[in-house]
Amino acid sequence: MDRQSFSLKSLSLAAALATSLLGFACSHPHYYRVYDPYYTDYHTWNDSEVVYYQQWSNETHRDWHRDFRKLPPEEQKEYWTWRHSHGDHH
């Protein structure tokens, strides 16, 4: 009975930890800073920047679901050039 009780407690603890980690991961947006080497400034990749990225992606017929950080450098440069001519870029 001791072993069964230990297993049940371990399983309960594991479930509680998994639930809390999952809740934490889903509840907080993941903003990060991106360095623009062409204009030598930083951009906070947040909801506002995502709107610009979606607009650029649509205008240039690219998949806006693709992570910006995984774009080839020439496409990132194209985005930053476009971005600095559209709206607030700070």
Side-chain angles (χ1 to χ4, degrees):
M1 182 143 163
D2 222 359
R3 179 175 274 193
Q4 189 177 22
S5 177
F6 178 76
S7 295
L8 186 57
K9 288 179 183 178
S10 296
L11 183 60
S12 296
L13 179 60
L17 286 172
T19 302
S20 65
L21 288 175
L22 182 61
F24 178 74
C26 295
S27 66
H28 299 289
H30 297 284
Y31 300 144
Y32 52 90
R33 284 176 39 144
V34 180
Y35 181 66
D36 174 359
Y38 311 104
Y39 290 86
T40 61
D41 61 352
Y42 285 90
H43 298 260
T44 301
W45 204 268
N46 55 21
D47 294 337
S48 297
E49 195 66 40
V50 168
V51 169
Y52 284 108
Y53 182 63
Q54 289 174 348
Q55 183 180 348
W56 172 79
S57 297
N58 288 331
E59 288 180 12
T60 58
H61 308 289
R62 290 184 171 87
D63 178 15
W64 68 268
H65 292 100
R66 188 168 179 199
D67 188 338
F68 174 80
R69 296 170 292 185
K70 294 185 180 178
L71 292 177
E74 60 274 2
E75 288 184 35
Q76 288 184 6
K77 181 178 182 178
E78 185 180 332
Y79 172 74
W80 290 129
T81 301
W82 178 92
R83 179 67 179 93
H84 278 271
S85 66
H86 291 79
D88 178 31
H89 57 272
H90 298 290

